[in-house]
Amino acid sequence: MNPSADILALSLVQVDLPPIQEGQRVTVMWSGRPVFVCHRSAEEVARSEADDRSPELIDPATDASRVKRKEWLIVLGVCTHLGCVPLGQSVTDPRGRYGGWFCPCHGSVYDGAGRVRRGPAPRNLEIPSTRS
Ligand code: FES
């Protein structure tokens, strides 16, 4: 009962990372949902790692537990409250005080590792399964 090649192809999306500049965020679609691909700067990584033990983390997780390589953060762009797409992919978007994403629907704020820092969202942005 293995999926056919055409069904398997629908479940995969290939992203060419080298053209994505440091500091740039790109959105790709996967299974009808947005995926945020972020090429983080060293400053963004350091800021996120410094918050690993913050008592403000609603769904505690270290930065390292959410990435395969520090400079690449890949998360589903779906707010864990009611499923809206948070703002923050464009440099002109509001990103909230933690430099991640802001969901204007009800005010949830995510940091640069996609960790929820202000609810009502209950969980961090989901990490999709990725291959290198
Ligand atoms: S859907 Fe994002 S805060 Fe409600």
Side-chain angles (χ1 to χ4, degrees):
M1 292 294 289
N2 290 327
S4 62
D6 58 330
I7 296 298
L8 196 56
L10 287 174
S11 67
L12 298 174
V13 64
Q14 200 162 5
V15 179
D16 191 20
L17 297 179
I20 303 173
Q21 304 289 308
E22 184 177 299
Q24 189 178 7
R25 296 178 176 182
V26 169
T27 303
V28 298
M29 294 303 289
W30 173 71
S31 292
R33 297 187 292 177
V35 175
F36 295 165
V37 180
C38 312
H39 189 175
R40 303 188 302 174
S41 67
E43 292 77 24
E44 289 174 302
V45 171
R47 180 178 179 185
S48 187
E49 289 176 336
D51 282 349
D52 277 354
R53 290 184 183 81
S54 170
E56 293 180 355
L57 293 174
I58 293 170
D59 181 14
T62 62
D63 183 78
S65 73
R66 298 183 51 75
V67 295
K68 285 188 176 171
R69 289 168 32 202
K70 288 182 177 192
E71 69 272 31
W72 293 105
L73 176 74
I74 301 172
V75 293
L76 284 185
V78 177
C79 181
T80 61
H81 179 223
L82 294 177
C84 294
V85 178
L87 300 174
Q89 286 299 91
S90 167
V91 292
T92 58
D93 283 347
R95 292 181 169 176
R97 65 184 280 212
Y98 304 99
W101 293 268
F102 170 66
C103 187
C105 303
H106 308 94
S108 291
V109 177
Y110 298 89
D111 68 13
R115 297 174 293 201
V116 62
R117 304 296 292 267
R118 177 171 292 165
R123 296 181 316 281
N124 300 332
L125 295 177
E126 190 178 332
I127 305 291
S129 174
T130 58
R131 296 187 210 163
S132 300

